[in-house]
Amino acid sequence: MTTDANIVVIGAGIIGASVAYHLADMGVDNVVVVDKGDITVTDGSTSHAPGGLRTLTASHFFTTLGVASRAVYDSLPLAVDGEEHFWRHGSVQVANTAERWDSHKRLAEIGLSKGVDAHLLTPHEIADLVPLIDPSTVHGGVHIPSSGVVDTMRLANAMQKVAEGTGRARFVGHSEVVDIEEANGRLTAVVTTGELGRITCNQAIVCTNIWGPVLAEKTGFTMPLYPGEHQYIYTTPIDSLDTSSHVSFPVVAMDDLSLYFRQHGDHLGIGSYDHPAKLVNPSALPKSAKMPFTSDDFDSAWDKMRHHMPALENASIRDGFNGMFSFTVDGSPVCGETKIKGLWTSVGAWLSFASELGRVMAQWMTTGDPGMDMTQAHIDRFFAHQTNDMFLSRQAKYFYEIGFDDIHPTDVVSSVRHVRHSPCHARTEALGAQYIPVAGQEAPLYYEANEPLVAKHRDRIPERSGYDAQGWSPIMGAEHLEMRANVGIIDWTAAIAPIEVTGPGALEHLQHICTAYIDLPVGGITYSLILTSSGMVARDVTVSRMSNDSWWILTGKGNLAAELAYYQSLAPEGAIESGAVRYTDLGEAVVPIAIWGPNSRAVLQACSGDDLSNEAFPWYTWQNIDVGMAPAKVLRLSYVGELGYEIYVPASYALHVWDTLWEAGRQFDMPAIGAASVFSARMEKGYRLWGSDTTPEFSPAESGLSWAMSKDKDFFGKDAALAAPIRKKVVTLQFTDRGSVVYGWEPVMSGDPADDNVIGYVAGGGDGLNVGSYIAHAFIDADRIDLGASVTVRATGVDHVATMVKGPLFDPTNERLKG
C-alpha cells in the first residue's frame, strides 16, 4: 500500500509530537506521525521520563528552549479530562558544599540575565519548601519557580490532541519505519510496517531518539548518539507526604550527589546517576526503553538519600527500572537536515526543551531559517573522528558521568584528546604548549617556555585566585604583552580554514550572499557578514579574491561543515550540481601560521626576497610569496589589531615555514603565542568573536557591524536586516577593579544593584593589559545605553563596577595595523 503525505514525523514521543503540533499550528497540512509502538504510551523514554521540567540551566541555548517550552506546556489542554499533567511548584537544586552553592549563585545570575526568576536558599528555606530534607545535611540551594514536574507522556498526548484537532496531522501507531527511500540525493518515501505502508513525502524528520542511530544507518549517516541506562526507583508510601495533590513540592536535584527526586502521590521517585555508565549498543536495543532494574547499583544512592531525608528510614524501595535515555558526544541534540535533502533529524533532547525544539524544527523545515542559533545542536557540527564508534561510546559515557558536574567556563569538556594535531605539533610540544581542543584539534593555549616573560611584564599582569584562577596562568598575560611590544608566532591551524569558491557563477553567488562588495581586484581582501533570511548575522568572514574566478572565504574551523552546507544552500538552484558554483574545504590541505606584532614585518622579510614594505604590500591585501623555500599565500591582516600576516601553505610545507620563521625571529627573541592571549588581545582591540558577541540571534546593527553592509548592492537578508528592530547593542565595559573577571551571561545592572535593575548581560570578557583595565563586551538594552555611565556586573555574588565606553580602547585609529 502507498500513502501520500507532505511531512512524515518518525516517532510520537515528546519531540515528534511537538514537531507535529507546531507544524499544524503553522498551517502545514498532511502531516503524518508514525511510531513503532502504541501512540498513547510509546516505547521510548517519553513514556518513563521522571518529568522534571527545567527552565533555567547554565546554558543559554537550553535555557532559551526551556523557557519557551514551559510556556507551551502551561497552555496545553489536558490530554485526559481530570488528569493533570503539569504541577507548577518549581525546582530546587541543593548544594552540599560552598563551591556548589557558588555555582548556584552563578545560575541565579544567568537567570537575572535571561529574565528567569531564581532565588538562593538557606538550608532552612530548603526545608520549608521540601520538608523531607534535613537542613543540617545541606549547605544551601536555589529555587527556580518556573520549573516543575510534568507527566511527559500526557504532554505528548495533549500535543497530539491539539494537532489532530486542526485536521492537519494524523498519528498512527504500530508502524515501524524499516526503510528510507531517496533518489538523486532527495527523500522520496518512508516505508513502514503499519497500515500506511509506503508513504511518499516531501520531507521527513527522525524523532526516534535512542533508535535514531539504527535508522540513520539506512541512509549512510552515522548518528553520534548512544543510549545509556539511568536508574529510577519508587519508594514505599511515606506517611509525612502531603497527598492532597499528586505533587505538592518542587522537583529536587541533589547536585553534589548526582541524584534527584520528586513526589508521586504517597511515595517518592528517585533518580540516580550515581553509578557506572551503562551504555547499550544501538543495534542491540530491545523494543522498550525500560530495562530491568540493577538493584546493586542503587545501594550508594539509597544510603545517601536516607542520610538527607530521615523520612526514608521507615521506607524501602518498592520497585525500579533502568530507563534508557540518549547521550550525545557533546551533550547537545542532533538537529538539522541530513545529506539526503528533505530528511531531517531531531534527537538527543530532553522533555524540558522539547516543545521549543519542535517549533524550531518546524520553522526550519518550512522556511529554511530555524529562527535561533542552532550551532550547538547542528547536525553538521561533527568532525570525521567524532562519529566513529570508539569516540561515540567514550564520549557518551563521559557525558553521562559529568551530568551533575559544576563545569568551569575554562574547562575542557571532553574525555578524548590528542586525536588531531597540527603539522607543527612537535615544535609547539617542545615549547611546553598547554593545549585545548579547538574544532577537534589540539591548539596551544599558552606555552610553559614563556614563563620567563612573566617576570619581564609582572607589574602589568593582575593576580588571580580561587575560581578565577582556574584554567588561567600569568603566562597568558605575558604572551599578550610581548606580542604587542615585539612579535609572536601563532599556530593558527585549529582556528581558521579557507573555503575555496570557484566556477562561472561564483562571483554572482558571493555578491548575493555576502554583505560586502566582493568584486575585488585580485589580491584584495574584505570583511563581510553572511545573514539569515530574517536579517540576523549567520557568520562573519574574511573574503579574498585569489584569481579572476576564485575566492577564499576564511572562517572559523569549529563550525565549518555547517557553514559550508548553509552557503551552498543559498546558491541558485542547480548551481552546485552543475558546477557553476564549486565549494572546496581547504581546511586539511592548507595550514595557517600567523606572525603578529610590531616586528612581524622584519621577521617575515628575513625569510623572503619579496618587497614587504607598506607601499608594496598594504594592509588588507594578499600576495604569493616564498617563505624560506615554501610557496605561500600571505594575507596582511591580524585578529589582534597589530601589524601582521597570516601565512597559508600546503600542509607538507608547514613545518619548514614554522622553522624558517622561528629562526628569523631569534633576532627579536620571538616567542610562540597561544590562543588565550590572542583572544584577550582581540577583546582589547574590540574585535568580535563568533558565538559570543556575534550570533544569529542579533542583527548587524545590534552587533555593531552595520558598517560591514554595502550600501551599493543587494544581498541576501538585506531588507530584513535594515528593518530589524534594535533591541540590544554591543557595548564595551571598562571595569574599575583591575582584578575583575567575567566569562559571559553575568547580568549588567544600572542604579542600585540591590534593585536588580537588569539592562543587559555580558557577552564575554578579557584582560585589557595594554589599557590597564579589564574589558568586556555586553549586550545592553538599546534605550539604556549611556556612554560614560556606571553599571554593575554581578559575578558569583560579587558586584563589579564598570563604565560603558566607546570601543575599541586599544589603537582606535588602526595606526598599528596600517603602519
Side-chain angles (χ1 to χ4, degrees):
M1 176 182 178
T2 298
T3 308
D4 179 66
N6 183 4
I7 296 177
V8 175
V9 179
I10 306 170
I14 189 67
I15 298 289
S18 178
V19 172
Y21 169 89
H22 288 287
L23 284 170
D25 185 59
M26 293 174 183
V28 178
D29 290 317
N30 202 9
V31 176
V32 174
V33 183
V34 294
D35 194 283
K36 71 181 183 64
D38 186 88
I39 286 294
T40 305
V41 181
T42 63
D43 292 334
S45 56
T46 297
S47 63
H48 66 70
L53 171 65
R54 300 185 68 185
T55 54
L56 177 62
T57 76
S59 160
H60 164 63
F61 175 74
F62 285 120
T63 297
T64 300
L65 294 176
V67 169
S69 294
R70 198 266 190 198
V72 171
Y73 299 154
D74 206 29
S75 65
L76 286 173
L78 296 179
V80 179
D81 290 343
E83 293 191 15
E84 182 57 71
H85 57 219
F86 189 177
W87 296 271
R88 299 161 177 82
H89 299 293
S91 65
V92 170
Q93 291 179 233
V94 175
N96 284 82
T97 64
E99 291 77 15
R100 178 67 69 167
W101 201 45
D102 279 346
S103 79
H104 290 167
K105 292 176 186 176
R106 292 188 289 274
L107 184 62
E109 289 158 2
I110 292 172
L112 275 176
S113 294
K114 294 285 293 178
V116 182
D117 286 341
H119 312 295
L120 294 172
L121 302 173
T122 66
H124 286 286
E125 288 171 331
I126 291 173
D128 288 341
L129 280 171
V130 189
L132 293 174
I133 293 179
D134 177 357
S136 70
T137 66
V138 299
H139 184 88
V142 61
H143 179 220
I144 304 165
S146 57
S147 296
V149 175
V150 299
D151 184 320
T152 315
M153 197 68 243
R154 284 282 187 258
L155 284 180
N157 295 158
M159 289 182 161
Q160 174 187 343
K161 181 178 180 179
V162 173
E164 288 187 320
T166 65
R168 302 187 183 104
R170 179 182 178 189
F171 285 65
V172 180
H174 305 291
S175 297
E176 182 176 2
V177 173
V178 293
D179 200 9
I180 302 287
E181 295 182 2
E182 54 95 8
N184 300 318
R186 180 178 288 276
L187 175 74
T188 56
V190 171
V191 181
T192 77
T193 59
E195 63 184 80
L196 302 183
R198 179 176 177 271
I199 310 172
T200 59
C201 54
N202 299 311
Q203 297 188 94
I205 179 167
V206 178
C207 302
T208 56
N209 210 20
I210 64 173
W211 289 280
V214 178
L215 196 55
E217 283 185 3
K218 298 181 184 299
T219 68
F221 170 67
T222 301
M223 181 74 72
L225 173 153
Y226 236 83
E229 296 182 37
H230 159 64
Q231 291 196 303
Y232 195 77
I233 65 100
Y234 300 103
T235 69
T236 55
I238 298 172
D239 293 339
S240 58
L241 283 176
D242 175 2
T243 58
S244 61
S245 172
H246 188 65
V247 178
S248 62
F249 61 80
V251 59
V252 180
M254 309 291 286
D255 284 345
D256 290 299
L257 309 182
S258 297
L259 300 166
Y260 64 91
F261 66 94
R262 56 155 291 193
Q263 183 181 1
H264 292 271
D266 65 357
H267 60 281
L268 297 182
I270 303 173
S272 171
Y273 286 83
D274 182 34
H275 60 83
K278 294 178 176 295
L279 300 183
V280 180
N281 191 306
S283 63
L285 287 172
K287 183 177 185 297
S288 170
K290 291 180 76 169
M291 302 285 279
F293 182 55
T294 53
S295 58
D296 289 349
D297 291 321
F298 203 82
D299 289 346
S300 172
W302 184 245
D303 288 342
K304 290 174 182 177
M305 293 304 285
R306 292 174 71 188
H307 171 70
H308 287 81
M309 295 193 291
L312 291 182
E313 287 297 326
N314 297 318
S316 60
I317 298 174
R318 189 192 75 192
D319 55 42
F321 62 91
N322 289 11
M324 280 187 289
F325 294 96
S326 58
F327 296 88
T328 61
V329 298
D330 57 7
S332 292
V334 182
C335 303
E337 193 171 22
T338 70
K339 300 305 181 187
I340 297 176
K341 194 165 183 62
L343 180 63
W344 297 73
T345 183
S346 182
V347 298
W350 294 29
L351 79 94
S352 294
F353 320 115
S355 175
E356 181 63 3
L357 197 57
R359 188 201 65 77
V360 168
M361 296 309 302
Q363 177 175 326
W364 202 352
M365 294 170 72
T366 54
T367 70
D369 183 354
M372 70 173 288
D373 183 4
M374 289 297 288
T375 303
Q376 183 174 335
H378 203 290
I379 192 172
D380 290 324
R381 70 186 184 271
F382 305 104
F383 292 86
H385 71 279
Q386 294 174 326
T387 58
N388 71 47
D389 191 70
M390 182 180 293
F391 185 89
L392 284 176
S393 57
R394 283 180 59 176
Q395 280 296 92
K397 178 178 182 293
Y398 173 72
F399 272 93
Y400 179 96
E401 292 170 343
I402 67 166
F404 281 77
D405 284 6
D406 181 17
I407 306 297
H408 191 275
T410 64
D411 283 347
V412 173
V413 188
S414 178
S415 67
V416 179
R417 299 293 304 275
H418 298 283
V419 176
R420 296 176 66 220
H421 291 115
S422 159
C424 304
H425 178 73
R427 302 297 187 263
T428 60
E429 181 85 355
L431 294 170
Q434 300 301 300
Y435 297 99
I436 57 170
V438 176
Q441 178 178 313
E442 299 299 320
L445 182 65
Y446 67 95
Y447 294 87
E448 294 288 356
N450 292 330
E451 196 277 335
L453 292 175
V454 175
K456 177 179 179 180
H457 299 287
R458 178 75 272 177
D459 60 334
R460 299 174 67 188
I461 305 172
E463 295 287 347
R464 292 192 188 184
S465 62
Y467 185 81
D468 293 331
Q470 294 182 45
W472 176 83
S473 168
I475 296 173
M476 298 172 178
E479 290 180 0
H480 175 141
L481 290 163
E482 187 67 15
M483 177 175 58
R484 287 267 193 248
N486 182 11
V487 60
I489 184 171
I490 297 93
D491 183 353
W492 209 220
T493 317
I496 297 293
I499 299 172
E500 185 178 60
V501 189
T502 60
L507 174 59
E508 182 179 0
H509 167 60
L510 289 174
Q511 285 282 59
H512 172 64
I513 71 171
C514 293
T515 63
Y517 188 73
I518 302 301
D519 195 3
L520 307 164
V522 174
I525 302 174
T526 190
Y527 176 83
S528 181
L529 309 177
I530 297 176
L531 306 181
T532 69
S533 61
S534 56
M536 303 296 106
V537 181
R539 197 59 165 103
D540 64 324
V541 295
T542 303
V543 183
S544 305
R545 191 165 195 171
M546 312 308 286
S547 68
N548 285 334
D549 62 354
S550 70
W551 287 259
W552 274 11
I553 298 176
L554 295 178
T555 189
K557 261 188 175 178
N559 196 40
L560 183 61
E563 286 182 46
L564 191 57
Y566 180 62
Y567 305 156
Q568 290 175 316
S569 75
L570 298 179
E573 186 172 355
I576 301 296
E577 293 78 4
S578 69
V581 177
R582 295 186 293 272
Y583 275 87
T584 305
D585 173 7
L586 299 179
E588 291 296 308
V590 176
V591 171
I593 298 170
I595 52 170
W596 294 328
N599 291 319
S600 60
R601 179 182 285 126
V603 171
L604 185 58
Q605 188 67 79
C607 304
S608 177
D610 294 274
D611 183 359
L612 303 183
S613 66
N614 200 42
E615 295 73 25
F617 195 167
W619 180 55
Y620 249 57
T621 64
W622 76 271
Q623 295 185 20
N624 285 310
I625 288 176
D626 288 336
V627 179
M629 291 175 279
K633 296 186 184 301
V634 180
L635 285 68
R636 188 178 158 191
L637 47 80
S638 82
Y639 189 48
V640 295
E642 290 289 345
L643 171 66
Y645 306 85
E646 291 183 6
I647 302 161
Y648 291 82
V649 295
S652 59
Y653 288 102
L655 198 58
H656 168 72
V657 168
W658 177 280
D659 288 343
T660 301
L661 292 167
W662 183 260
E663 184 60 30
R666 292 311 86 217
Q667 64 177 313
F668 300 105
D669 294 324
M670 176 182 72
I673 302 296
S677 49
V678 170
F679 287 112
S680 60
R682 78 92 192 171
M683 176 63 68
E684 194 173 58
K685 179 59 179 169
Y687 285 164
R688 300 299 186 250
L689 174 64
W690 173 253
S692 174
D693 32 34
T694 308
T695 82
E697 297 181 352
F698 292 99
S699 68
E702 291 173 311
S703 300
L705 296 173
S706 293
W707 59 269
M709 297 196 300
S710 171
K711 296 181 175 63
D712 302 323
K713 73 178 183 84
D714 289 328
F715 49 81
F716 182 74
K718 180 177 184 178
D719 291 344
L722 294 175
I726 300 177
R727 305 152 297 172
K728 294 181 183 290
K729 293 188 73 172
V730 173
V731 172
T732 301
L733 301 182
Q734 187 170 16
F735 286 77
T736 302
D737 182 354
R738 192 70 184 81
S740 297
V741 179
V742 294
Y743 302 93
W745 287 101
E746 293 87 356
V748 180
M749 297 171 287
S750 68
D752 187 340
D755 295 336
D756 291 347
N757 184 18
V758 178
I759 62 171
Y761 61 86
V762 171
D767 215 326
L769 292 156
N770 286 273
V771 298
S773 60
Y774 195 84
I775 302 168
H777 286 163
F779 280 100
I780 303 296
D781 294 342
D783 60 353
R784 304 299 297 276
I785 294 172
D786 182 11
L787 296 183
S790 291
V791 295
T792 301
V793 178
R794 184 167 297 161
T796 319
V798 177
D799 289 338
H800 301 264
V801 177
T803 303
M804 288 190 274
V805 297
K806 179 177 173 57
L809 296 176
F810 180 80
D811 189 26
T813 58
N814 290 332
E815 293 179 14
R816 298 172 71 97
L817 277 169
K818 298 177 180 179

